[in-house]
Each structure stands twice: as structure tokens, then as C-alpha cells.
Amino acid sequence: MDGTVLVADDDRTIRTVLTQALTRAGCKVHATSSLTTLMRWVGEGKGDVVISDVMMPDGNGLEMLPKIREDRPGLPVIVISAQNTIMTAIQAAEAEAYDYLPKPFDLPDLMKRTAKALDSRGRTPRRDEQVVGADEPDELPLVGKTPAMQALYRLVAKVMNTDLPVLITGESGTGKSLIAKALHDFSDRRTLPFVTVTAGDLSDLDGPARVLARVKGGTLLVDEIADVPDEIQARIVRMMDVPGDHVPRFLASSQMDPQSLIEGGKVRQDLFYRLDGAAIQVPSLRERVEDIALLTEHFLARAEREGAPKRWLSEGAVDLFRVYSWPGNVRQLENAVRRLSLTSRSEEIARNEVEAVLGNQPETGPVLRGGDSDKLGESVARHLRRYFDLHGAMLPPPGLHGRIIREVEAPLIEIALEATGGNQAKCADLLGINRNTLRKKITDLDIRVTRRRKLM
């Protein structure tokens, strides 16, 4: 790489690591913990690429992007942030950041993106949008730091301001409607109507005309497209082909995956290929178990803001939440947490209270369950394909093998420990590994070891 990189981060370790890595790659580096210093360097004409954190001691890194774009058009800015919500990704896209990576980031991936940014110097920015203003919602209930959710955030931000139709798929309760609303609320069409329609809205001949009059060039979501009869699907095709200046953006949602929709004959081919301009598959909660603790904290905090007593989960309660398969996904988790926030006998929610609530929930199945006849390898392959699909045209970040092994190995050891009542000698024998090896993996994978009852 050849060029000067400006690094702004209040974490000294990150500044040191990036400075060393970029210098070894052939770059000159100026690093600072201050946005004020960064903006002075930019104003002096220094730097070919900027790498900046969002939350800095003297300001917000996203808020300085319009000023950089005004003073130095074409200067690429890569945003890195520990604020792992969809809002950060959307705001970075709205402010025309060259790229966005959540913390903790993969260093080789960041280096590759920096090299690409250096090669892109001088190009005209893609859009002329402003940062999402203070009048916008300050958060969206789409929370997660797992690779699957981060890939989802990037894909939403990427297609948000295009006119492409979008097919949003995922199990019930995963948040498909929230994704659709985010695509509208943070897009160029945000001031226009967002209209959700079902088959009933289009059942008579005048239905399409009435719907188009309501949406007025905004965003039109067809809910559960697989449930729409063939005749009405044909009407949607004709609606999508209507010319004019006020054509809405079309979104559709379904609990079925795209392949099943077309192979099962649930959606007409002419409609499917019109809707499939971009495909967004929302991961199930089983596919992002590491987000469960973060989600419960989010829902408890929301309940407290709405008047519920302050609550938090005990370690045993969190453990039980993590091993439950959540057939109702995030919606079921939110309902369970809200109930616990109101009914818990103390500030700390105990494991037995969680057991009582989950005991009234639908029967659960294996974590990697897809179909009753699926082999484990087939289920894993399906989830891996979904992970690749979430990255769209881009490949996942380098180091995929290690990340996947870690994702599988951690729950395997946790479940084996639970099955053996926390006895590490029995667990090592069950897994077929040395006890010292097991201890090292427990430490490396940050697995909490508690005495658990045996699974029956």
C-alpha cells in the first residue's frame, strides 16, 4: 500500500496496532485520540484515507463526515465502532462513509478495505445525503454483534437508498417487518407513505389503483407473499410494471426461503424475479445465540423506560436463555423478558423464574433444527450458505474457518459440560480430548463453568 492514513481512536492499543500494521504495509500513519486534531490534519490537506472511531472523547466521529466531505471531496473515511446496532451502519451509509466495520474488527479485513480505499482516492461520492438528523428515531430494536447480524446491517445499509425491490425472508418473529420499516425510514423516501398490504387489499379490480394512490411513490410492503393467491400475484406484477414518476419501492416478506418459494410454486416466476432485486435473509435467534444476553439487556432497559422496575438476569437465567431454542425467535424472547420484568420477585431475575416462564412456551427443538429429517451436516451447510448470502456480492471477512470452528466449538463444550454436571474430567472423556486441552479451550473460548444439573 502507498499513501498516508489518518487514524483516530481513543483506544491506545488500537492506535498502536493499526499504526504498526499500516506502517509495515508501506503507509505513513498519523494517529490521534482527538477528533479536533483529526479535523485539523484533514483541513491541512494531510491524509489519503481516514480510519475513525465513532465515540470519541471530544465528539462523534459520524458527525464530522459531512465536514470532511465538504472540505475534502473524495477522501475515503472508514468508520469503526463498538456501537453494534443497525443505526450505526445506517448512519455511516447516510453520511457517505467509505466503509463501516464493527468492533472487534478483523485486522486483515480492515487492511484489505484500507488498500481498496487508497485505490479509490479522488472518486466522486455516490450520493449527496446528510447524516440522519436528531428528529429521527434514536434507535431501532435490531440489536446484535454477531457476524450474522453485522452482515445484515451492512446489507441493509447498502440497498437502503437504491430503488431495487427487496425480498425479506426469515422465520416468524425474527424482525422482517422491522427490516422493511428501516429500509423506508432511513431512505430517500422517508417523507413518503409506508404502506403494508395483504391479499385482501388487492382482491378486487380497483384494489391495485387504490393502493398505489395511498403509497404515493413511497414504499409498498407485501406481507407474506407466499400466502397471496396466484391471481393477485399477477396484479402485483402489473403494479410493478406501471410506468411513471411516482412508482413506489416494492418490498415483500416471507417465512419461506427464496429457493422454497420458487421451487414450491408459492410465488409466480414472473413476480419472484421482479421482487428478487435484492434478497435479505434475517437470521433466527438460534443462529445468533451470542446476541441473546445483549437482547435481554435491551428489552429490560426498554421495559424500565416504560415504567417497569429495574431488573437484570442472574447468571443461571442467562445460561437457560442461551440453551433454549426460541421457536418464536426475538418476538418470543421480548415477550418473555417483558413478563419477567413485571413478575420477578426481586431485582435479579432467578433461573427458576425463567424456567416457569419458558415452561409455558411452545415446545422446543434442537438448536440446529431445520427439518425433522435433516442430518447435522445438512443443517450446518444451510446455515453456512445463509451466512454467505448475507454478505451479498462480497465475500465474508478472512479467517472464516477459525470463526466457524469457534462458533461450533463453544456451544458444544458448554452443552457437554451441562450434560456432565460441570465435571471437567467426564466432559473431556465425553468429547474425547485431554483434560488440559479442555481447560485451555474453556479459557480461550471464555466459557463460564458452573455446576449444572445433568440433562435428562
Side-chain angles (χ1 to χ4, degrees):
M1 289 190 286
D2 180 28
T4 300
V5 180
L6 307 181
V7 175
D9 198 296
D10 61 343
D11 188 319
R12 178 180 296 179
T13 302
I14 290 179
R15 294 199 306 272
T16 301
V17 168
L18 289 180
T19 298
Q20 292 175 348
L22 289 166
T23 301
R24 285 196 299 267
C27 295
K28 295 180 180 178
V29 182
H30 297 290
T32 179
S33 61
S34 165
L35 282 179
T36 303
T37 301
L38 172 65
M39 294 306 293
R40 188 182 77 246
W41 289 342
V42 170
E44 293 171 351
K46 295 179 180 178
D48 301 301
V49 169
V50 174
I51 300 175
S52 176
D53 193 8
V54 173
M55 302 307 295
M56 298 282 282
D58 56 347
N60 185 306
L62 289 174
E63 293 175 357
M64 54 81 181
L65 291 179
K67 176 64 175 173
I68 291 179
R69 188 170 65 246
E70 179 183 342
D71 292 349
R72 300 274 302 277
L75 177 63
V77 180
I78 298 174
V79 173
I80 55 177
S81 175
Q83 304 297 309
N84 295 313
T85 71
I86 194 171
M87 273 302 304
T88 309
I90 288 175
Q91 288 179 323
E94 284 287 300
E96 290 190 13
Y98 177 81
D99 212 337
Y100 159 73
L101 280 87
K103 291 180 178 179
F105 54 80
D106 181 83
L107 182 58
D109 183 38
L110 177 56
M111 296 294 288
K112 182 171 66 176
R113 292 170 189 259
T114 304
K116 187 176 178 182
L118 286 167
D119 291 339
S120 73
R121 283 171 286 179
R123 294 180 187 173
T124 304
R126 294 167 294 173
R127 302 189 311 274
D128 186 20
E129 301 295 329
Q130 299 298 317
V131 179
V132 176
D135 57 332
E136 299 290 354
D138 60 356
E139 64 176 341
L140 287 172
L142 291 163
V143 179
K145 60 182 180 180
T146 52
M149 286 303 289
Q150 292 300 325
L152 176 65
Y153 297 163
R154 285 194 290 269
L155 183 55
V156 169
K158 184 177 181 180
V159 304
M160 184 175 57
N161 274 313
T162 70
D163 292 327
L164 287 172
V166 180
L167 178 61
I168 307 168
T169 60
E171 296 177 9
S172 176
T174 52
K176 298 186 294 297
S177 61
L178 297 177
I179 294 293
K181 200 67 169 64
L183 286 169
H184 173 79
D185 287 349
F186 299 92
S187 73
D188 300 335
R189 300 175 189 257
R190 63 175 72 104
T191 59
L192 300 172
F194 175 86
V195 177
T196 301
V197 298
T198 61
D201 298 304
L202 304 170
S203 58
D204 60 75
L205 292 176
D206 295 332
R210 288 198 301 269
V211 168
L212 290 175
R214 285 170 56 202
V215 73
K216 299 176 182 176
T219 303
L220 179 63
L221 170 64
V222 183
D223 192 33
E224 287 303 328
I225 189 65
D227 296 337
V228 177
D230 186 85
E231 179 184 353
I232 296 179
Q233 289 188 24
R235 292 178 185 173
I236 297 173
V237 170
R238 291 193 289 272
M239 290 172 66
M240 297 183 73
D241 290 342
V242 171
D245 296 331
H246 301 289
V247 177
R249 184 183 196 180
F250 285 84
L251 310 178
S253 68
S254 176
Q255 294 184 35
M256 301 178 66
D257 63 81
Q259 186 175 359
S260 298
L261 285 173
I262 192 69
E263 291 182 354
K266 296 294 185 179
V267 175
R268 296 165 55 105
Q269 286 196 6
D270 53 358
L271 176 58
F272 178 82
Y273 291 117
R274 282 172 172 80
L275 290 173
D276 198 32
I280 295 178
Q281 195 154 17
V282 187
S284 68
L285 198 51
R286 297 185 304 280
E287 296 171 87
R288 53 188 192 105
V289 173
E290 296 304 317
D291 284 332
I292 288 177
L294 189 66
L295 283 162
T296 56
E297 291 174 6
H298 175 83
F299 292 137
L300 286 171
R302 176 190 286 177
E304 184 181 351
R305 290 196 300 271
E306 294 174 356
K310 183 179 180 60
R311 297 279 189 259
W312 61 86
L313 293 175
S314 67
E315 185 175 325
V318 173
D319 289 342
L320 187 56
F321 268 52
R322 283 171 51 84
V323 299
Y324 188 68
S325 70
W326 300 107
N329 289 292
V330 179
R331 184 182 295 120
Q332 182 190 4
L333 174 64
E334 180 177 12
N335 289 338
V337 171
R338 281 180 173 274
R339 178 175 172 182
L340 287 163
S341 71
L342 295 172
T343 61
S344 178
R345 293 185 294 272
S346 63
E347 291 184 333
E348 183 175 81
I349 299 171
R351 180 187 176 101
N352 65 328
E353 293 177 308
V354 174
E355 288 177 335
V357 169
L358 297 185
N360 295 324
Q361 300 295 332
E363 184 178 351
T364 66
V367 169
L368 291 177
R369 181 176 182 177
D372 290 339
S373 62
D374 279 1
K375 295 179 180 178
L376 177 60
E378 293 171 349
S379 297
V380 172
R382 184 175 61 256
H383 293 305
L384 288 175
R385 288 193 190 96
R386 184 174 298 177
Y387 177 69
F388 272 81
D389 289 344
L390 284 169
H391 286 79
M394 295 180 63
L395 289 174
L400 177 61
H401 180 269
R403 290 199 305 277
I404 295 298
I405 294 300
R406 182 185 178 94
E407 290 266 351
V408 174
E409 192 171 35
L412 171 61
I413 293 174
E414 288 178 348
I415 292 169
L417 280 167
E418 183 171 358
T420 55
N423 187 311
Q424 293 187 26
K426 289 183 179 179
C427 182
D429 184 59
L430 175 65
L431 295 172
I433 60 177
N434 183 276
R435 186 175 179 182
N436 290 333
T437 301
L438 174 62
R439 286 174 174 168
K440 185 175 186 303
K441 288 182 180 294
I442 289 172
T443 301
D444 292 345
L445 297 172
D446 194 25
I447 295 172
R448 290 194 302 271
V449 180
T450 57
R451 299 293 299 183
R452 300 178 172 92
R453 63 180 175 82
K454 283 191 175 184
L455 298 175
M456 300 303 291

